[in-house]
Every structure is written in structure tokens, then in C-alpha cells.
Amino acid sequence: MGLREQFTGWKPGLWAGWRPNGLGEQKPNHYRDIARVAWANRAHPAYAYQVLTKGACDGCALGVAGLHDWTIDGVHLCTTRLDLLELNTADAVDPLVLSDVAALGSRTGAQLRALGRLAHPMRRRRGATGFRRVSWDEALSVLAAGLRATTPDRAALYLTSRGITNETYYVAAKASRALGIANIDSAARVCHAPSTVGLRQTVGVAATTCSFQDVIEAPLVVLWGSNPANNQPVFMKYLYLARRQGCRVVVVNPFLEPGLARYWVPSNVESALFGTKMCDLHVPVRPGGDVALANAALGRLIARGAVDRAFIDAHTEGFAEVAAALAGQDTDHLLGLAGVDRPTLESFVDELVRAGGAIHVWSMGVTQHRGAAETVRGIVNLALAQGGVGRNGVGLMPIRGHSGVQGGAEMGAYATALPGGLPVDADHAAALSATWGFPVPGRPGLTAPEMVEAAGRGEIDVLWMSGGNFLDVMPDSRAVEAALGRVPLRVHQDVVVTRQMLVEGDDVVLLPVATRYEQEGGGTETTTERRIVFSPEIPRQVGEARSEWRLFADVANRVRPELRAAFSWPDNAALRREIAEVVPLYAGIETLAATGDAVQWGGRHLAAHGAFPTPSGRGRFTPLEPVEPHVPDGSFVLSTRRGKQFNSMVQGQVDPLTGAGRDAVFMDATDASALGVAPGDRVRLRSETGSLDATVTLARLPARTLQVHWPEGNVLIAAGSNHREPTSKVPDYNAVVTVEPLDSTPPD
Ligand code: SF4
């Protein structure tokens, strides 16, 4: 049921300007990008066309099947998806290229991807100059022998998103538990783990409570630490359609991202011609100041008598405690912590009051902080106070940037969740043991950052990774490289060559796998709005690549042949039938068989009409105490940001939205002036972990805050338990740094 994009007249009040298609503005040129991608995929245009018109997008988690989604009638396509297309049409890399690792060592991730598809099992022993081609039997025998030779607590399994399907996550989760391995984690850990924790404790669900249809019907959308213009581009089309119907938009972020100030929706004539103003109010919160801001806003809502008392009384608990806590927090002090002035706070509260509820969207700007779970609870407090859950046009939306992360956790490929997103404890493990027919570990395993640290201590014997690139993704890149090198057996299964594969170890095995589209029997993903969508098999064989759900089952069978019956699906339709039985939430997945087939678990709204699936049946307010920031004199708070990239995969050296190169450090003009540096000057940033040379780029930012691109900035980010959110274990991708003009700085 899509929103028919009827033309109902121009809305000049929303136009960004009069220049056709923003001529001369710093912005993406979508039409030129389409031509570039068409050229890049010229070797297999027919296959590329099939992927685009039949497949479910392997990019972000907005979700689209072919060129159409379940929200709007028009075309749903973006350059992120187009840029990923090349991975799906690339030809096999020559195995000889991998025989000399030293020759590859200086290549960037993008240059390694450009080599082509990993197409044959390969193996490299310590001391060898590179990889040699081996048989599948040898590669899997090495892995099985390694798993048999160690104890489960010294083995770890990690899966990225990279288009991985629910079917693959499920088999990986089952295989891992069959081998006794609790240490299984996935990409969801480093993005929305705090959202999972914060939402489950307050509203009883670990997912978006509303649907994209609600965005289009929303009176107000508040974007907290989220930049969908860059990461979920078609969301901007939803916002455009919403704004045509009167929706207002507030951006809560240190930087007003240019793509959120104004945007040109390429598939809509009016927006493509004149652009669309996308932001009504920018709230320039300091990094880490969101809890203080949420508290201040809630305090003002209460003071103005603008909370939904009927909803609060009927459907929530803890409001009185929160109100009492806020009464003891001085608004001006909170604003000082948030870095926001009083008029801006009042404007924000005006927007909330006028709308009577909002869709609160948040992303990595909220979650990749030490206080992330608290911030999520602060956002939930605001939503509950307005009765903003479980009805049309309002809701809580931790928007996802990877098409696999929602499903990965819900299939149990997660250190802290069993299939169905159930907590890992003795009771749930016992129930699952009875279902699966083998003992399931009843304790949480190592999370992804803990795996790296355990490897660094020499406590991991087998590290088995499906995609991912710890070297780029995890904090403190140098420590990660040393940790990877200490693992006696590393197995990397992937579609392309990545930098982490080149780190020498005692024994490193590469396994070539099929893409989402090549996967035998097709597969499903779960979108941000909880929609399980089917992507059919689009047959293509590259070298000896195998479907991953078969691969995980094969390894389980080799290590524990007595469990063969539990890992012997004739096809993955049978696998989907098993998922539907084991994960009742996913009922209906067994019916999906063609492009466009989808089923949304939980329906349009979770906690509909105030029925919260918490133990008490009520949504829970949480009293929150903002943390006082400590930034030593002369230092800056540095945050990491995204440019032209898909997660850690850099897709362009210049961000078309900001015009900044990858080595940019975003800095406010007042800070630049105080430091005596100007745009284009080179500076050295130093943290307790490392240093990074960068080029000054001016941006309107709160004083003494800086931003650099991620993952390049990871050299500045500290690892360890003091540098992550304590409950969800997401790394804090922020640092305290000093800045030195480079021409006066001796080289390190
Ligand atoms: S917005 Fe996301 S789901 Fe939609 S086409 Fe782009 S990457 Fe794919």
C-alpha cells in the first residue's frame, strides 16, 4: 500500500533555491553518478539490471525490492545502492594476485575491492609471502580441525552485514551454538546495540516502533545524531513527501549536515529542480550533551503543561520519579551541558508542543557514545511524555544503516541474544536446546570489541569471520592489527579481499562466498520497519564461491557429524520453515518466495494503543543524570563522521554533500582562529591512542569540538572497557585530542 505521489501543485515555500538542480551548489550530482555506475557495470549490464529490478537492496535497512518499496508508489533508488552494484557484477580476482601480500599491503580497501571477487579458497601459513590456492576440502578441514582442537571459549565467530541474509545469520547462530561457541557477534554490535538495550528496558521491544508510512504522516520528525541524506538517501524522499503535507523537521546534531539543510530528491521533478528545505530548526547539541538536552526539553514540556497526562497515567510508569528528578535539575545548567541556548530550547519545545508528538529518529551520532543507552532512554522519555508510541505519525526509530543488522540480532547471531532476540540465559537456552536437539550455551559470549581484546591477550585460537574488517571498524587500529596477528587460525569468508585478510598469522584461510543475490534459494533481510523482505536467487557463479548458509552447515557437520540431521536442509525454503517455527516473531517468512514478498513482524505499530510488551504492560520512564564533560584546557572533543561511504567502505575521496576530502578535520572558525590555522592548513591531531594528520575544513560546530572521517579517525579512538557503553559494549567512537599546526610540528 504505497503513497500515491500525486502532483498537488508546487510548494515554493519549501524550495531551496531557484537554480535548476542546484547548479553550482555543493551537492551530489545523481544523474552523473548514474551514468558513472552504468559505465562501471558495463561488463555485465544484464546482470546488474536484474539485481536492480529483482533484488532486495543490499545497502541500508530502509529496504526495497527491485525499484519499489512498501511505502511510496514512485521509484526507490539511490547512489549508495548503485555504488554497491559493482560488488555484485565484478569478475573473479586472479588467485596469483594474492600470492604476494607485500605488493598489496599499501592498497586501500577500495583498491582491494577493485581487484574483483574472491573466487577460490586460499591459504597462507606464517612466513609465506602470500596465499596459495587450496581445495574447499582442505580449507574446511583446516577450520574443522582448528575448532575441534580448541575449546569453545577460545573460538569466536563474527558476521558483518554486507547483504548477509537472515537465513545465513540463522544457520551461523545455530552452528555456533552446536559447537558450544557462545562468542558469536555481528555488525549490529557497533551500531545500534545501545538502542536495543535502551528500548527493551523502556518500551519492551528492541526495534523501531512505527513504520515508514508514519514518517510521511508525521507532524514532526526529530533527527538525533542521524544523517539520512548520506546513509539512507531515500529517507529524504519520504521526508520530502512528508513536508509537502506539512511535516516539520528538527535536526539535533553538533553540525547541521548540508544534506539535512536542503536536498534535491532526484526522482521528483519539483525537488530535483528547486531542491527542498529539509530543516526547520537546528539544535546544535554538544557531543555527549543529548541527555541534558532531552532532560531540559522534558522539563519544559512538564512546566508548560504540555505532556499527555491521560497516556502517561494509563500506559506508563515512573513519570513521577522523572518529574521529581527534573525538578532538581536547573535548566540553565542542563543547557550549559548540552551547549544549547535558551531560545533554541524553547523553539524545540514549541515544535514538540505544536506537533503533539513526533517520530524520533536516531543513529550513530547517538549510539556510538559512552552514554548512548542513557541517551536512548532520554529520547524515550520525551516520546512517552507525549504519548508518542503506538499510533499513526509518531514513534521511535533507531534507523539502521546496514540491511542485515536487524535480522542478524533477531536470528541470534549476536553475543547477547538467541534467535527471536531473546536474552541469553539458562531458561531460554534450555528451551532452545530442546527445540534444536543439542545443548545451547546459556551465557552471553564475547562481543566484537571483546573478541579483539581477547585475541590481543592470546585467548582466541580460532577467529572465524564472515565479512567485516576489524582493522577498519574497531578502535585503535594498531592494537587490532597486533591482536589479529596473534590468533593461530583465522578464517575470513567474504566476496572481496579486505585489508584484515593480509595481516599475517600462523594460518590464515580465505573462503569465497556468494553474494546475497547469488545465494542458493534466495534469502530475506529485515528492514528498519521490521519488514522481512525476500530477495530471489539471481543465478551467477563466480569461481568456486559458495552460499554461506550451506557453508556454516557444512562446517557444523564436519565438527559434529552426529548432528547432521539438524544441519541438513534440502533447500532454504525448508530453512525458512524452520525459522518460522523457532522464531514465532518471523511467522510468515516461510511464505516468501518472490520479489516484493514481505511480512512485517509486529504490524505497523509496536506497543499499539499503549499496550507495551514490558513485564508490567507499561512503558517505563527513566530518571537520568547528565554527565559533566571533562575536556582539559587546550583540548578538543573529537567525533567521527561519515562521508561518501557505505559503512566502513569508502566510496569516494570527496564527500559530495560537504565537499570535504577524507583527510578533513571539521573545525569551527572561532577555534581555527584561536589556533592560528586557516582552511587548507595541515594539522596534527593527537589523542592518548595515536595521531592523525588532517586538513582544516571550516564548519559551524560547537566550540572545542572537531570531526574527522571514520574509519580513518580510528587511530585516535581508544579501545578497552573504559571506552565503550557499559551495557551494550558499543565502542565510544569519540576522543579528546590536541591540535598542532603541522608546519611547526616535528614528525612522529
Ligand atoms: S536508501 Fe537504502 S535501501 Fe534504499 S536504495 Fe538506498 S541503500 Fe538501498
Side-chain angles (χ1 to χ4, degrees):
M1 185 171 59
L3 178 96
R4 193 157 296 281
E5 291 175 49
Q6 291 171 332
F7 184 74
T8 54
W10 302 103
K11 301 261 188 200
L14 289 177
W15 293 357
W18 287 91
R19 294 187 206 171
N21 197 232
L23 200 65
E25 298 256 7
Q26 181 64 54
K27 62 179 276 298
N29 184 329
H30 295 105
Y31 309 110
R32 187 181 60 206
D33 286 345
I34 289 170
R36 175 178 52 75
V37 169
W39 179 250
N41 287 277
R42 64 193 177 283
H44 300 286
Y47 191 79
Y49 180 76
Q50 285 193 69
V51 167
L52 284 181
T53 54
K54 290 185 182 172
C57 175
D58 54 352
C60 84
L62 231 51
V64 56
L67 296 171
H68 299 282
D69 63 22
W70 299 267
T71 305
I72 54 176
D73 284 344
V75 169
H76 177 142
L77 180 64
C78 78
T79 53
T80 301
R81 184 180 187 188
L82 290 171
D83 282 326
L84 288 171
L85 200 52
E86 234 178 306
L87 287 180
N88 296 301
T89 61
D91 288 317
V93 62
D94 180 349
L96 283 178
V97 170
L98 291 169
S99 64
D100 182 6
V101 164
L104 300 174
S106 60
R107 299 209 187 188
T108 63
Q111 289 168 332
L112 291 176
R113 288 196 296 281
L115 292 173
R117 283 282 299 279
L118 188 61
H120 305 280
M122 312 280 290
R123 187 178 185 190
R124 181 189 183 200
R125 311 296 294 270
R126 192 177 292 282
T129 55
F131 291 89
R132 66 179 173 84
R133 189 172 162 181
V134 296
S135 68
W136 266 107
D137 188 53
E138 177 179 336
L140 295 186
S141 297
V142 168
L143 174 54
L147 290 168
R148 271 194 301 265
T150 189
T151 51
D153 60 314
R154 295 181 64 86
L157 175 53
Y158 176 84
L159 298 94
T160 186
S161 181
R162 198 232 315 117
I164 291 178
T165 59
N166 290 326
E167 289 77 355
T168 294
Y169 284 123
Y170 176 82
V171 180
K174 187 176 181 181
S176 172
R177 271 60 179 231
L179 305 179
I181 299 171
N183 305 328
I184 175 171
D185 213 18
S186 59
R189 180 65 52 194
V190 291
C191 55
H192 272 296
S195 307
T196 304
V197 169
L199 287 172
R200 192 178 288 288
Q201 289 170 345
T202 54
V203 295
V205 292
T208 290
T209 66
C210 54
S211 297
F212 293 132
Q213 186 63 39
D214 292 300
V215 174
I216 291 169
E217 296 178 17
L220 174 66
V221 172
V222 184
L223 297 166
W224 299 76
S226 181
N227 184 8
N230 200 41
N231 305 316
Q232 299 89 3
V234 176
F235 190 86
M236 301 309 289
K237 185 169 182 175
Y238 298 167
L239 267 191
Y240 162 74
L241 295 171
R243 285 176 71 66
R244 282 186 57 87
Q245 301 187 67
C247 174
R248 308 226 355 133
V249 175
V250 173
V251 174
V252 180
N253 203 42
F255 179 45
L256 177 55
E257 296 287 349
L260 297 184
R262 77 280 187 273
Y263 195 81
W264 286 258
V265 179
S267 58
N268 180 278
V269 174
E270 181 187 25
S271 183
L273 271 178
F274 301 112
T276 307
K277 289 181 205 155
M278 288 293 184
C279 174
D280 297 296
L281 175 67
H282 174 221
V283 182
V285 67
R286 286 181 56 81
D290 308 77
V291 169
L293 175 67
N295 278 9
L298 181 53
R300 292 297 299 141
L301 279 179
I302 294 170
R304 289 169 61 166
V307 296
D308 186 339
R309 275 299 341 180
F311 182 88
I312 291 169
D313 292 344
H315 302 298
T316 71
E317 60 193 7
F319 179 73
E321 290 87 334
V322 167
L326 290 178
Q329 295 178 10
D330 176 63
T331 303
D332 288 328
H333 180 64
L334 291 174
L335 288 173
L337 298 179
V340 173
D341 61 28
R342 178 72 83 148
T344 304
L345 172 69
E346 289 304 326
S347 298
F348 181 26
V349 176
D350 286 345
E351 295 287 354
L352 292 169
V353 172
R354 201 162 30 229
I359 304 243
H360 293 273
V361 179
W362 69 91
S363 194
M364 305 302 95
V366 162
T367 59
Q368 292 183 334
H369 285 264
R370 190 163 159 72
E374 296 288 84
T375 304
V376 172
R377 293 185 190 98
I379 295 171
V380 171
N381 282 347
L382 271 181
L384 290 179
Q386 295 201 290
V389 179
R391 59 183 169 91
N392 291 353
V394 297
L396 295 160
M397 181 177 286
I399 195 166
R400 308 260 179 176
H402 251 174
S403 63
V405 286
Q406 183 80 31
E410 289 171 352
M411 291 295 96
Y414 207 48
T416 48
L418 295 172
L422 300 174
V424 187
D425 57 30
D427 290 344
H428 288 107
L432 192 55
S433 302
T435 303
W436 276 346
F438 51 78
V440 170
R443 63 183 192 291
L446 296 174
T447 60
E450 290 170 324
M451 286 177 191
V452 176
E453 287 156 25
R457 295 191 299 269
E459 295 171 2
I460 299 293
D461 292 331
V462 181
L463 179 60
W464 181 10
M465 296 184 68
S466 169
N469 189 353
F470 280 173
L471 210 48
D472 280 351
V473 169
M474 289 298 164
D476 195 354
S477 319
R478 281 182 297 194
V480 175
E481 183 165 3
L484 291 176
R486 287 201 69 178
V487 179
L489 173 60
R490 292 200 331 266
V491 176
H492 299 289
Q493 58 193 52
D494 213 326
V495 297
V496 289
V497 179
T498 60
R499 293 199 311 125
Q500 66 174 3
M501 295 174 178
L502 307 182
V503 176
E504 189 173 26
D506 291 350
D507 205 349
V508 183
V509 174
L510 310 183
L511 304 177
V513 295
T515 65
R516 159 183 296 189
Y517 307 111
E518 297 159 3
Q519 175 175 288
E520 179 193 337
T524 59
E525 69 158 90
T526 307
T527 71
T528 285
E529 63 171 359
R530 299 168 276 103
R531 195 177 295 277
I532 305 158
V533 308
F534 186 77
S535 192
E537 180 180 351
I538 304 173
R540 180 171 188 247
Q541 183 64 47
V542 178
E544 299 176 34
R546 283 192 182 179
S547 297
E548 286 185 275
W549 66 271
R550 287 274 190 211
L551 189 48
F552 282 112
D554 192 348
V555 175
N557 286 334
R558 283 170 184 256
V559 181
R560 296 202 59 185
E562 73 278 15
L563 296 179
R564 184 168 296 277
F567 290 94
S568 299
W569 301 276
D571 51 38
N572 76 357
L575 179 51
R576 279 187 284 282
R577 287 196 291 277
E578 178 176 318
I579 293 172
E581 286 170 16
V582 175
V583 185
L585 214 53
Y586 273 52
I589 189 174
E590 74 281 8
T591 66
L592 310 181
T595 300
D597 285 358
V599 55
Q600 185 181 29
W601 73 255
R604 176 170 172 176
H605 297 295
L606 300 181
H609 312 297
F612 290 92
T614 54
S616 64
R618 288 173 173 263
R620 187 172 305 144
F621 282 91
T622 317
L624 298 168
E625 193 66 43
V627 175
E628 300 271 348
H630 175 64
V631 186
D633 286 347
S635 297
F636 295 77
V637 175
L638 175 134
S639 301
T640 49
R641 60 172 290 107
R642 308 300 192 271
K644 178 63 179 166
Q645 63 195 90
F646 176 65
N647 295 287
S648 66
M649 289 167 46
V650 176
Q651 295 173 322
Q653 289 306 306
V654 173
D655 179 354
L657 287 164
T658 62
R662 295 300 301 181
D663 67 346
V665 53
F666 288 50
M667 183 184 291
D668 192 74
T670 51
D671 286 330
S673 168
L675 286 163
V677 295
D681 284 359
R682 298 285 288 166
V683 293
R684 179 159 296 159
L685 312 173
R686 291 185 200 270
S687 72
E688 61 172 301
T689 306
S691 68
L692 179 74
D693 293 350
T695 301
V696 173
T697 303
L698 294 187
R700 191 87 186 267
L701 282 171
R704 293 174 67 201
T705 63
L706 306 171
Q707 296 189 355
V708 295
H709 284 115
W710 180 92
E712 292 89 339
N714 267 342
V715 291
L716 298 167
I717 305 298
S721 58
N722 290 333
H723 299 281
R724 51 182 176 245
E725 198 284 319
T727 54
S728 64
K729 316 273 180 76
V730 70
D732 180 353
Y733 286 97
N734 301 274
V736 173
V737 300
T738 56
V739 183
E740 305 152 38
L742 202 54
D743 54 4
S744 62
T745 305
D748 278 340

